[in-house]
Amino acid sequence: MAVVTAATVKELRERTGAGMMDAKKALTEANGDIEAAVDALRAKGLATAQKKSSRTAAEGLVGIEVAGLKGVAVEVNSETDFVAKNDQFQDFVRKVTSVALTTGDDVEALKSAEYPDGGSVGDKLTSSIATIGENQSIRRIKTVSVDQGVVVSYMHNAVAPNLGKIGVLVALEGDVAADVLEPLGKQIGMHIAAAFPLALNADGLDAELIARERKIAEEKAAESGKPAEVQAKMVDGAIAKFAKENALLSQLFVIDNKTPIADVVAKAAKDAGGKIVLKDYVRFQLGEGIEKEETDFAAEVAAAAGL
């Protein structure tokens, strides 16, 4: 049986809002598997859904750039936030992002591409690691484009122009003027940064994620003791609610908390007398999905004392 430490109990509580004893019991029953413990707590109604860990701990920068009808977001990781404030590192991320506009979404292709100052991007990355003295990596890339319209960028927590912690791109296809599309895209970009949609629409939600949510909903419904047909409706309702809250087009606009994003876009198109389609988006949050090993002395002492 896995040892349940104070640190894992603390992380589970941060992610779920569960009480200490509930968190410890869930971890014990899940043999230390924190994801299984999260699901167990949610099935028991002791936790709310979390789209991401509260401890996105990797450092570095997200870079975004738009050129014409195309935009790109790139995440470059470092070991410490100190490096992210380094002028040399910022220059590297800025130039790599610019190169990525021409290479597509493949990290290896980007590394093989020519760097503006000579050599390849991969060569420059190696040089940057040696010069700064800290490991760095190009983690991911995503491009979006439109045939007609605009790609709008938004950077939350910017540390320099187009560099920061949360980078967003919004691709709006349309036949209306840029002075209509640009502010609309900026508002939607701010919404995306805050609301963390998981897909553009319900059909785009990950099948494994939906299956996981369905399993949790089925466990909750089973505990209700209601007839099977009622339980089935409860499960379908829970999945529909999850999809609505996590697909961008059906999310409620953070500015008024009542209008679905799809309706916000439709109203803008009607007011402009043209056509606007929210074609795609990118949301890169620095360190999303990465957990950095941390030393928590107080937690270690508590664990040693047998929490």
Side-chain angles (χ1 to χ4, degrees):
M1 180 177 291
V3 176
V4 176
T5 67
T8 54
V9 172
K10 178 175 178 287
E11 180 180 349
L12 183 59
R13 293 188 67 200
E14 289 175 347
R15 290 182 59 176
T16 63
M20 181 178 292
M21 297 311 297
D22 288 328
K24 185 179 179 183
K25 182 180 178 182
L27 279 166
T28 301
E29 292 175 348
N31 200 28
D33 185 332
I34 197 162
E35 295 301 328
V38 169
D39 288 352
L41 286 169
R42 291 185 55 206
K44 294 175 181 177
L46 298 175
T48 55
Q50 294 292 317
K51 300 170 192 169
K52 63 186 189 318
S53 167
S54 61
R55 295 175 59 239
T56 50
E59 303 296 347
L61 287 171
V62 172
I64 54 176
E65 184 168 332
V66 175
L69 300 178
K70 187 175 184 180
V72 66
V74 179
E75 179 181 353
V76 183
N77 295 132
S78 62
E79 293 181 43
T80 66
D81 185 55
F82 178 77
V83 170
K85 298 173 183 176
N86 181 289
D87 289 341
Q88 179 182 322
F89 182 74
Q90 290 184 8
D91 183 64
F92 173 70
V93 176
R94 189 176 292 109
K95 289 178 178 176
V96 165
T97 303
S98 182
V99 173
L101 273 168
T102 64
T103 62
D105 296 351
D106 184 77
V107 171
E108 294 306 314
L110 175 58
K111 288 181 179 179
S112 299
E114 184 177 349
Y115 191 74
D117 297 343
S120 69
V121 169
D123 292 337
K124 184 62 179 179
L125 176 61
T126 301
S127 175
S128 179
I129 293 170
T131 302
I132 295 176
E134 185 172 303
N135 190 35
Q136 300 154 43
S137 64
I138 300 171
R139 184 185 178 207
R140 52 180 175 164
I141 313 160
K142 179 69 187 296
T143 56
V144 294
S145 63
V146 295
D147 296 321
Q148 181 183 17
V150 298
V151 174
V152 181
S153 64
Y154 171 71
M155 180 62 72
H156 188 69
N157 289 339
V159 300
N162 295 326
L163 300 175
K165 304 293 186 181
I166 302 178
V168 177
L169 296 171
V170 181
L172 291 172
E173 193 89 45
D175 57 6
V176 303
D179 61 359
V180 172
L181 294 175
E182 290 281 355
L184 174 63
K186 191 69 70 176
Q187 286 192 325
I188 294 175
M190 294 171 66
H191 168 93
I192 291 169
F196 203 122
L198 301 180
L200 180 64
N201 51 44
D203 291 339
L205 290 169
D206 182 71
E208 290 185 4
L209 177 62
I210 293 296
R212 178 177 175 178
E213 292 299 318
R214 182 171 291 279
K215 181 180 178 182
I216 293 170
E218 286 172 347
E219 291 178 7
K220 283 185 178 181
E223 290 181 356
S224 72
K226 295 180 180 179
E229 61 271 19
V230 176
Q231 289 186 32
K233 290 181 180 179
M234 290 171 64
V235 172
D236 289 343
I239 296 303
K241 181 175 183 289
F242 178 83
K244 180 179 179 180
E245 292 177 348
N246 290 281
L248 175 58
L249 288 172
S250 57
Q251 285 184 326
L252 300 183
F253 196 22
V254 293
I255 289 180
D256 65 12
N257 200 34
K258 64 180 182 180
T259 309
I261 291 295
D263 292 350
V264 172
V265 175
K267 183 178 185 304
K270 182 179 179 180
D271 291 346
K275 181 179 179 182
I276 304 175
V277 175
L278 177 48
K279 180 182 178 182
D280 203 356
Y281 77 95
V282 178
R283 184 190 188 278
F284 274 7
Q285 179 166 339
L286 182 65
E288 181 184 333
I290 297 176
E291 293 296 336
K292 182 175 69 177
E293 183 176 352
E294 297 182 350
T295 300
D296 186 333
F297 181 71
E300 289 179 357
V301 171
L307 173 65

